[in-house]
Amino acid sequence: MALKSCKSCKHEVDSTAKVCPGCGVKNPGVTVSQQVFGFVILLVIIVVTVSMCSGGGKEKHVQKVAQKASSDAAVPSAYSITRDDFREGRPRKVEVTLPKRLSDTELAEVAKAIRADTKFKAEKTFIGFRVAGQTDTAYWASASFDPDYRSALIGLGSKDYQALTALDLKAYPNRIGSWLRDGALGHVMVLFKQNDKYVIDSVFPSGGKNTDFYVGKKLPNGGLRLDDPDTSFNEYYVVDASGNLQGWGESGVYMTLPPFKPAE
């Protein structure tokens, strides 16, 4: 039997005694420092356990080279996960950047690979895709598993994008600038002068186009303001000194498109 001094009355007691027979204090052989140390260890264990179970929900940026999503279909493209967020009882939310626009089949395979590439046990998964070099911050496409796979194309599809980037704009000898506008109805905007008027042709992947006329005004900073005389909305375009096309409204700039390089 090991003896220790009671932490209260200092009488010798059994180190395993629950109560001091002399003064009645509980756990007489356990000092305050030992109790504090034990509490700290217990607290650390609880924090680590909770963190592991919740998944942390932290954003992360990792480069992934997609592996096989199934036994007979290889994932066609590398991708970058810029955010992977999960909370117990909620859908897993993932944001991904792709190096290029994918076909529907390729997008499905990448989505399946991303869903499988996780330690989280999420019943539902939402994936938002962006493409490197996009001119806006919106998702190019989205995919979800609930539990079945679904996808939605928000920006220009692969074929339409290729058709627009291959446009020959040599038919516009008086072209002032051109810009690619993404989206489900994406198109190339071509600004030129015709009979001293400013004109914008919106050229679509199908080859169709819309033509709008504008009143131009030179700005002190070297830019060009374009107002549509046939609209009552307080919206207009500005071509800035760097060649970017800005869309302006009552709340300020709502769109900025960099110059589009036409096919040679």
Side-chain angles (χ1 to χ4, degrees):
M1 178 178 67
L3 298 178
K4 280 190 173 184
S5 296
C6 173
K7 61 185 178 183
S8 178
C9 66
K10 306 304 180 183
H11 289 169
E12 288 189 341
V13 295
D14 186 350
S15 60
T16 61
K18 302 296 184 182
V19 179
C20 176
C23 65
V25 71
K26 293 182 179 180
N27 298 318
V30 180
T31 64
V32 174
S33 61
Q34 289 174 323
Q35 289 178 321
V36 171
F37 180 75
F39 176 76
V40 171
I41 294 298
L42 178 61
L43 182 61
V44 170
I45 292 174
I46 292 174
V47 170
V48 171
T49 302
V50 171
S51 177
M52 292 178 64
C53 292
S54 66
K58 295 181 179 179
E59 292 188 6
K60 61 181 181 178
H61 183 83
V62 291
Q63 292 290 333
K64 296 286 184 181
V65 177
Q67 304 297 325
K68 282 202 170 190
S70 62
S71 59
D72 58 354
V75 176
S77 176
Y79 57 85
S80 173
I81 296 179
T82 57
R83 183 176 182 180
D84 196 343
D85 192 11
F86 175 68
R87 293 286 190 277
E88 194 68 37
R90 298 182 181 181
R92 177 188 173 206
K93 296 181 180 180
V94 188
E95 292 189 347
V96 178
T97 299
L98 300 169
K100 64 177 183 178
R101 296 164 198 257
L102 306 179
S103 66
D104 291 343
T105 301
E106 292 171 333
L107 183 66
E109 296 303 332
V110 170
K112 292 175 184 177
I114 293 171
R115 186 196 189 196
D117 183 21
T118 181
K119 63 182 179 181
F120 303 137
K121 295 181 179 179
E123 295 183 3
K124 301 178 182 180
T125 300
F126 171 83
I127 307 172
F129 293 94
R130 294 185 177 91
V131 181
Q134 265 186 249
T135 57
D136 56 34
T137 58
Y139 292 140
W140 165 71
S142 66
S144 62
F145 295 88
D146 186 21
D148 296 332
Y149 170 77
R150 293 183 180 180
S151 66
L153 188 62
I154 303 168
L156 279 165
S158 177
K159 291 183 178 180
D160 286 346
Y161 178 77
Q162 291 175 7
L164 289 178
T165 55
L167 282 177
D168 185 359
L169 301 182
K170 295 177 182 177
Y172 296 93
N174 298 322
R175 179 170 55 90
I176 298 172
S178 53
W179 304 269
L180 175 64
R181 188 167 186 176
D182 211 332
L185 298 176
H187 53 275
V188 170
M189 303 174 69
V190 185
L191 172 64
F192 60 98
K193 289 196 75 172
Q194 184 180 73
N195 299 326
D196 295 327
K197 294 183 179 180
Y198 290 95
V199 185
I200 291 182
D201 271 356
S202 296
V203 186
F204 295 87
S206 62
K209 67 179 181 180
N210 291 335
T211 300
D212 297 292
F213 296 88
Y214 294 86
V215 176
K217 178 183 178 181
K218 296 288 185 179
L219 301 177
N221 60 5
L224 174 66
R225 173 169 170 160
L226 301 168
D227 289 277
D228 185 349
D230 297 326
T231 182
S232 58
F233 297 104
N234 189 23
E235 294 184 353
Y236 55 92
Y237 292 123
V238 170
V239 181
D240 66 21
S242 299
N244 300 309
L245 180 67
Q246 299 175 341
W248 284 76
E250 294 181 352
S251 301
V253 179
Y254 64 84
M255 176 189 72
T256 300
L257 302 178
F260 166 70
K261 185 179 180 181
E264 298 295 338

